[in-house]
Amino acid sequence: AEEASIRKVIDAEEDAWNRGDAKAFAARFQEDGAFTDVFGAVSHTRAELEKRQVEFFTSLFKGSRLALKVRKVRFLRPDVAIVEIDTEVSGFRKLPPVVYVDAEKVLRTRLQQVMAKTGTGWMVAAFHNVDVKTPPETLVNPEDPVRVRRRR
């Protein structure tokens, strides 16, 4: 039940992004949460995050589409979880060369969110997003038994 509630928060983030709604995107972030975007900029309050999203939604990411795929939800305590997410952003305007965009013109990132359960439900306490610099077909799972055997 708790994991399903967390996934609803992630779904709401995706929906808000795809509508270009900065206020709704920021709504599930704690007032004093930390948000590190793919460019390395850090917002330390919900208001800062909302302002940054307004900038994104009216410039670089205007009209873009976000897809979030939860890889894993790990509960540190019943009221604290780490959520690992694969993201894909498409339909954006030209991005700075500081981020890697693949041949399909998709920005792929690995997003990690720390979520805390409050009296009003699950909230994002920390958000850290980094772009994937390696094309997906060449990514290697370090747990892959074939790779482990080769290292020995």
Side-chain angles (χ1 to χ4, degrees):
E2 296 302 330
E3 184 170 331
S5 295
I6 287 171
R7 287 176 182 269
K8 284 181 182 177
V9 172
I10 303 301
D11 290 345
E13 288 174 29
E14 181 181 272
D15 178 65
W17 179 289
N18 291 332
R19 290 184 291 111
D21 187 338
K23 186 171 193 66
F25 185 83
R28 297 308 299 172
F29 286 80
Q30 290 184 338
E31 287 291 342
D32 62 348
F35 178 93
T36 306
D37 67 34
V38 71
F39 302 110
V42 180
S43 301
H44 293 286
T45 67
R46 184 185 305 154
E48 286 178 15
L49 166 61
E50 185 177 335
K51 181 180 177 193
R52 180 83 169 151
Q53 289 307 120
V54 167
E55 293 169 6
F56 279 163
F57 293 156
T58 58
S59 62
L60 298 173
F61 292 108
K62 184 175 184 174
S64 65
R65 300 293 299 170
L66 173 67
L68 299 174
K69 180 182 175 192
V70 174
R71 283 181 152 221
K72 184 178 181 180
V73 177
R74 182 168 64 101
F75 289 89
L76 301 179
R77 299 188 324 227
D79 62 341
V80 177
I82 296 175
V83 186
E84 296 177 25
I85 304 165
D86 288 336
T87 76
E88 293 183 353
V89 181
S90 59
F92 48 81
R93 297 175 181 204
K94 186 176 180 182
L95 296 180
V98 69
V99 295
Y100 178 81
V101 176
D102 67 19
E104 298 171 345
K105 298 199 183 326
V106 175
L107 169 61
R108 299 174 199 279
T109 73
R110 295 285 189 269
L111 169 59
Q112 187 173 71
Q113 293 188 21
V114 177
M115 301 189 79
K117 189 172 183 184
T118 68
T120 59
W122 286 94
M123 302 288 286
V124 179
F127 179 111
H128 188 76
N129 203 10
V130 296
D131 58 323
V132 176
K133 304 246 190 271
T134 308
E137 64 274 4
T138 62
L139 292 177
V140 177
N141 180 348
E143 307 290 320
D144 182 354
V146 173
R147 183 171 167 82
V148 171
R149 280 195 296 273
R150 274 192 244 136
R151 284 189 293 185
R152 290 183 183 162

